[in-house]
Amino acid sequence: MGGVAEHLTISTLTLQHRIPDDWAADPWAEVHPLIDGVDVLKEVHPEGLGLSCRHWRGPAESWPLAVTEEPRRIMITEPVCTAGCCGALYVTIRREGDQVIWDAWENTSNITAVPADFRFDSAQYEAELARAAADRSWEEPVDTIARLLEQTLADSGWFERWGCVLTDCRPRREEPGLPEEFTSPQGVDVDFHQVRGPGERTDLYRYELFVTRDHPVEEQVRRLTDRIMADDPRKTAEMQR
């Protein structure tokens, strides 16, 4: 009887945004899953990060933990380097009636333990995914500026006008404890590249923009947009070698 009861236990999923301690690999917040309030993934993959919040910006079916018609095997936590280097934690997500199942775990790190299988009520599960995707409460001003600037530039078609493609727009955080000469001031990095023909070299460019703590976010987004859109970006950005 105990095994049957355990099998039918319905867990609650909570998704929590966290800015990683080591944010150099990805400065955006990770979205970390808690199950019944417990960080069970940390116990078996202590070096793992939840998948970046930038993966939660598209339609619901593209979210990392989305449930689709067919079972999906996903990397649920990843190391700050690569899965091929230090291993990752994988789970298969599938639907069974009005429940969502997490099972068929695989841990490719040097800790081979895996969590138990979990069942969630599909309504609670999908509501939590939607809540987390819309959550902006964790953002610091630099995050909000980077997100809004990326959206503004993408919607404007500015880079396409010059035969270029916007590839990344991300916050740049100050690194606490480092001397000023070894860290960059807080800001936003905007990367783009020029479209070339087959076999031609791709030119990469970057704006390293600065933000302040004492000006409204919307005002700073306008200022940075105006700077980028004042002239041919291939002339005003720094080419990356």
Side-chain angles (χ1 to χ4, degrees), residues 8-77:
L8 296 178
T9 297
I10 305 299
S11 294
T12 299
L13 177 69
T14 305
L15 297 174
Q16 185 178 82
H17 286 78
R18 302 176 183 174
I19 296 174
D21 294 331
D22 182 1
W23 55 265
D26 186 344
W28 290 106
E30 58 171 317
V31 181
H32 207 85
L34 304 181
I35 302 174
D36 298 325
V38 178
D39 193 346
V40 296
L41 308 188
K42 202 71 174 177
E43 297 175 0
V44 299
H45 197 237
E47 302 303 319
L49 299 176
L51 298 177
S52 171
C53 67
R54 59 194 167 89
H55 298 308
W56 293 80
R57 295 180 185 166
E61 60 269 19
S62 71
W63 297 341
L65 301 181
V67 189
T68 57
E69 291 301 319
E70 298 297 325
R72 299 172 56 232
R73 179 180 182 269
I74 68 158
M75 181 170 60
I76 195 167
T77 67

Side-chain angles (χ1 to χ4, degrees), residues 9 34 39 44 47 98 101 144 148 170 192 211 214-215 226 234:
T9 297
L34 304 181
D39 193 346
V44 299
E47 302 303 319
D98 60 355
I101 314 298
T144 308
L148 294 178
R170 61 191 178 278
F192 64 97
V211 302
D214 52 359
H215 289 83
D226 290 346
R234 297 168 297 179

Side-chain angles (χ1 to χ4, degrees), residues 182-203:
F182 294 116
T183 186
S184 296
Q186 180 175 248
V188 177
D189 292 335
V190 177
D191 292 344
F192 64 97
H193 68 267
Q194 185 168 7
V195 178
R196 298 286 194 180
E200 296 185 65
R201 187 189 71 178
T202 299
D203 291 332

